[in-house]
Amino acid sequence: MDVFNVTDPDGNKVTDEAILDYITKSLGPESCFTSSMRSVGVKQSMDHTAIELTGSDRPGLLSEVSAVLTHLKCNVVNAEVWTHNMRAAAVMQVTDEETGSAITNPEKLSRIKELLCNVLKGSNKSRGAKTVVSHGVTHTERRLHQMMFADRDYERANNDVLDEKQRPNVSVVNWCEKDYSVVTITSKDRPKLLFDTVCTLTDMEYVVFHANIDAEGPEAHQEYYIKHIDGSPVKSEAERQRIIQCLEAAIERRVSEGLKLELCTTDRVGLLSDVTRIFRENSLTVTRAEVTTRAGKAVNTFYVSDASGYPVDAKTIDSIRQAIGQTILKVKGSPEELKPVSQESPTRFLFGGLFKSRSFVNFGLVRSYS
């Protein structure tokens, strides 16, 4: 039995009957769940073509990718881009400029894959790049976690000197009497923290039997009782360290370093290419991006930082806003304060409004055990 105390994004009781009905249908008897842990629920769609990209991160990468798509007469209608530990992953939904629907020409699809793969490879030959094109719909954030996990973004370089205080505190110990492994995580609370954690445990093929979630103030505490899909607890020190590294990466991926910029304007082919080119010409690099199209309007969010590692200069932001449009591009936060920021303001989130108080949760994610 799973119990969730939920609120809306503002921390209030959910009263919208449409939302409550959607939750009921999604989780109730009418819902349809796949038995495979690794499935991402891909459904066929002719509205757009989905492009998945993974490769080495570098300044101007999103600008180059966007320029290639514009050159090939592709319109980006939705996209999400994550960067972490010098790796980049993106899920982009594009349409054919001429038809306004999914791209069906095999030669054009092959050309897209070829050119994008060349861009992703760049000058870095030590790590691979991957481009996948499909006519499908998937949960974008779920897929990004899987892509970065498969790309091993959790592996840190030996010279990584990131302050330990900036990382989540993750521990894994075995409870021998019950044959469980107990995972505890302490980190700053933020939206979708629970989602990011459970997705990663599932992708690593662990079953969560019980969970205790507590969010008081700005800090969140998560405790999971897990076993491997074969019923065994963690078996070795190497496996324990891998769990810690993967959970640290899962939590860090969504925490964006940079200044938050929001763009809202009429959508057109090449808009993303033009905007990111202006960022690149002003020595800004995109650390995370969310691109959406709603009723002909482009609503985009970018997290940007100086390519040289210095704080973003206010004059640079003014120059960019003049080039793009003062009313089109809004700055969220102060250019002088370039600190790691999450998706929303640092108020009490309770895992994106999932938990209002301490809750005991029992997850039967894959199967029931007697």
Side-chain angles (χ1 to χ4, degrees):
M1 180 177 182
D2 305 339
V3 179
F4 298 90
N5 295 324
V6 303
T7 66
D8 66 15
D10 297 322
N12 301 317
K13 184 177 180 179
V14 180
T15 57
D16 190 324
E17 290 296 332
I19 295 177
L20 295 173
D21 185 58
Y22 179 83
I23 293 173
T24 301
K25 289 182 178 179
S26 298
L27 301 178
E30 298 177 14
S31 63
C32 180
F33 293 99
T34 176
S35 60
S36 171
M37 294 176 60
R38 288 165 290 183
S39 173
V40 294
V42 176
K43 299 178 182 179
Q44 293 299 316
S45 171
M46 292 306 295
D47 295 334
H48 62 259
T49 298
I51 301 176
E52 299 178 356
L53 310 170
T54 53
S56 297
D57 187 29
R58 67 175 186 277
L61 179 60
L62 181 57
S63 175
E64 295 178 39
V65 169
S66 303
V68 167
L69 291 173
T70 300
H71 174 71
L72 295 173
K73 299 187 181 304
C74 301
N75 185 35
V76 179
V77 292
N78 294 292
E80 189 146 356
V81 182
W82 287 2
T83 64
H84 176 252
N85 197 20
M86 298 305 296
R87 303 300 292 170
V91 175
M92 312 182 83
Q93 297 175 357
V94 303
T95 58
D96 191 298
E97 180 182 348
E98 296 180 355
T99 65
S101 58
I103 300 167
T104 57
N105 187 320
E107 293 183 2
K108 186 170 184 176
L109 291 173
S110 178
R111 184 66 172 160
I112 290 172
K113 291 181 63 175
E114 178 187 357
L115 293 183
L116 288 180
C117 202
N118 289 339
V119 169
L120 289 168
K121 287 179 179 177
S123 60
N124 190 339
K125 306 300 181 183
S126 61
R127 293 288 295 271
K130 186 176 181 181
T131 303
V132 176
V133 178
S134 66
H135 300 292
V137 178
T138 183
H139 190 293
T140 301
E141 295 170 340
R142 180 80 175 88
R143 186 61 188 139
L144 283 167
H145 273 303
Q146 293 180 326
M147 291 163 61
M148 298 205 88
F149 173 71
D151 197 41
R152 307 193 310 279
D153 74 313
Y154 52 84
E155 295 180 349
R156 300 187 185 275
N158 294 330
N159 59 353
D160 188 350
V161 292
L162 179 67
D163 188 347
E164 291 292 335
K165 294 181 180 179
Q166 297 182 24
R167 291 179 183 164
N169 185 357
V170 183
S171 67
V172 182
V173 297
N174 279 355
W175 185 11
C176 298
E177 294 179 1
K178 299 292 185 180
D179 281 338
Y180 289 128
S181 292
V182 183
V183 178
T184 58
I185 307 169
T186 302
S187 65
K188 183 179 178 180
D189 194 18
R190 61 163 175 78
K192 302 186 181 180
L193 180 59
L194 178 63
F195 173 88
D196 295 341
T197 305
V198 175
C199 279
T200 299
L201 288 172
T202 304
D203 289 339
M204 297 183 73
E205 299 190 334
Y206 291 104
V207 183
V208 179
F209 286 82
H210 311 285
N212 202 15
I213 312 299
D214 188 10
E216 294 292 340
E219 196 169 69
H221 179 79
Q222 304 176 74
E223 186 177 62
Y224 300 93
Y225 295 80
I226 67 170
K227 293 183 181 181
H228 197 267
I229 193 172
D230 64 6
S232 64
V234 175
K235 300 176 182 178
S236 67
E237 176 63 18
E239 183 182 2
R240 189 180 75 87
Q241 288 297 328
R242 186 169 181 264
I243 294 173
I244 292 173
Q245 290 178 344
C246 290
L247 289 174
E248 286 178 346
I251 294 171
E252 292 170 355
R253 286 170 194 149
R254 206 189 290 270
V255 178
S256 303
E257 296 181 1
L259 186 68
K260 184 178 180 180
L261 304 177
E262 292 184 351
L263 180 144
C264 183
T265 187
T266 303
D267 188 37
R268 61 175 173 80
V269 176
L271 176 63
L272 183 61
S273 176
D274 291 342
V275 171
T276 53
R277 173 181 53 79
I278 293 172
F279 290 163
R280 185 188 64 195
E281 291 172 349
N282 285 272
S283 300
L284 295 185
T285 182
V286 178
T287 58
R288 188 159 67 87
E290 299 172 16
V291 177
T292 58
T293 304
R294 302 170 187 165
K297 284 282 187 180
V299 183
N300 303 342
T301 301
F302 303 95
Y303 292 86
V304 299
S305 60
D306 187 273
S308 302
Y310 297 104
V312 177
D313 185 73
K315 293 181 179 179
T316 301
I317 297 300
D318 289 339
S319 175
I320 290 172
R321 293 191 68 198
Q322 288 178 9
I324 296 176
Q326 297 282 351
T327 59
I328 294 175
L329 187 68
K330 302 291 185 180
V331 181
K332 300 295 182 179
S334 171
E336 290 80 16
E337 297 179 1
L338 233 176
K339 298 178 181 179
V341 292
S342 200
Q343 276 189 310
E344 304 289 346
S345 59
T347 53
R348 183 172 66 92
F349 286 113
L350 308 178
F351 299 95
L354 280 177
F355 297 92
K356 201 162 189 174
S357 60
R358 187 178 182 91
S359 304
F360 186 79
V361 187
N362 177 32
F363 290 98
L365 292 181
V366 182
R367 62 184 73 171
S368 298
Y369 289 80
S370 57

